[in-house]
């Protein structure tokens, strides 16, 4: 459950509301570059970090959250990019790059971000798409919610070899192959011998 600070609640109920998105995206340049931007103009500082204003050049799709843990994705779009910079922009995008989005309010008097924005999305970039008219381009990035990982099959196994990867001194799974061969009754007074072990 998310909570809003008193200042944010006051801003939401004010006569004029100025909502903004702050976005942090990791690009795969060398070294990896964490780009921070927001949907206003100029540069704002929040949490000790500077966010570069993109204004109308940046769009964030509606962020949907459900009560059944559905993995809802979003789309980030950057328009007005010079055609000469499209190639470098596309090459710096890597699938599974980290994306974090915060929803906040802007103080119209000072131009500062009102503490504290709500962390409303976390996930990874998917394949980008490009629309280019020869003079400027629009690049859209689909981001998949972290919850999508819940639908992925686990690569771990209930075997001794797999257990040793994380817990090298744990021998709790070393008798699993013998258990599969055992056809006795659990809790019996007498043990049953299986090739390679004793129960």
């Amino acid at each position: 459950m998310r909570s809003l600070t008193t200042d944010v609640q006051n801003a939401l109920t004010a006569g004029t509301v100025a909502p903004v998105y702050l976005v942090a995206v990791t690009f795969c340049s060398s070294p990896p570059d964490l780009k921070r931007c927001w949907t206003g103009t100029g540069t704002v500082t929040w949490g000790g970090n500077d966010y570069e204003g993109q204004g109308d050049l940046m769009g964030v799709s509606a962020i949907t959250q459900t009560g059944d843990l559905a993995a809802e994705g979003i789309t980030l779009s950057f328009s007005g990019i010079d055609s000469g910079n499209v190639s470098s922009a596309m090459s710096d995008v890597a699938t599974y790059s980290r994306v974090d989005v915060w929803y906040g309010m802007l103080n119209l008097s000072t131009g500062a971000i009102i503490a504290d924005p709500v962390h409303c999305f976390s996930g990874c970039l998917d394949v980008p798409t490009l629309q280019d008219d020869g003079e400027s381009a629009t690049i859209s990035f689909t981001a998949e919610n972290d919850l999508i990982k819940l639908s992925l099959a686990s690569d771990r196994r209930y075997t001794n070899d797999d257990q040793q990867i994380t817990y090298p001194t744990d021998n709790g799974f070393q008798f699993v192959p013998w258990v599969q061969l055992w056809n006795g009754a659990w809790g019996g007074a007498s043990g049953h011998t299986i090739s390679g072990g004793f129960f």
Side-chain angles (χ1 to χ4, degrees), residues 32-147:
D33 178 34
L34 179 61
K35 181 176 180 60
R36 294 184 174 91
C37 49
W38 71 297
T39 51
T41 57
T43 300
V44 295
T45 301
W46 173 69
N49 299 307
D50 292 334
Y51 289 80
E52 180 183 351
Q54 301 295 321
D56 293 338
L57 301 182
M58 178 182 175
V60 180
S61 67
I63 299 177
T64 303
Q65 296 183 343
T66 63
D68 58 356
L69 294 180
E72 301 288 343
I74 65 170
T75 300
L76 305 174
S77 59
F78 294 84
S79 61
I81 300 174
D82 187 275
S83 295
N85 296 324
V86 169
S87 178
S88 60
M90 294 292 285
S91 62
D92 279 347
V93 176
T95 304
Y96 303 122
S97 293
R98 185 72 187 173
V99 180
D100 286 283
V101 180
W102 293 265
Y103 177 80
M105 307 298 294
L106 185 68
N107 186 319
L108 294 176
S109 299
T110 63
I113 299 296
I114 298 174
D116 280 313
V118 176
H119 188 206
C120 56
F121 181 86
S122 62
C124 298
L125 288 182
D126 205 338
V127 180
T129 58
L130 170 68
Q131 292 181 333
D132 192 346
D133 62 7
E135 297 181 358
S136 64
T138 298
I139 298 178
S140 297
F141 306 96
T142 301
E144 298 293 347
N145 195 296
D146 279 340
L147 290 176

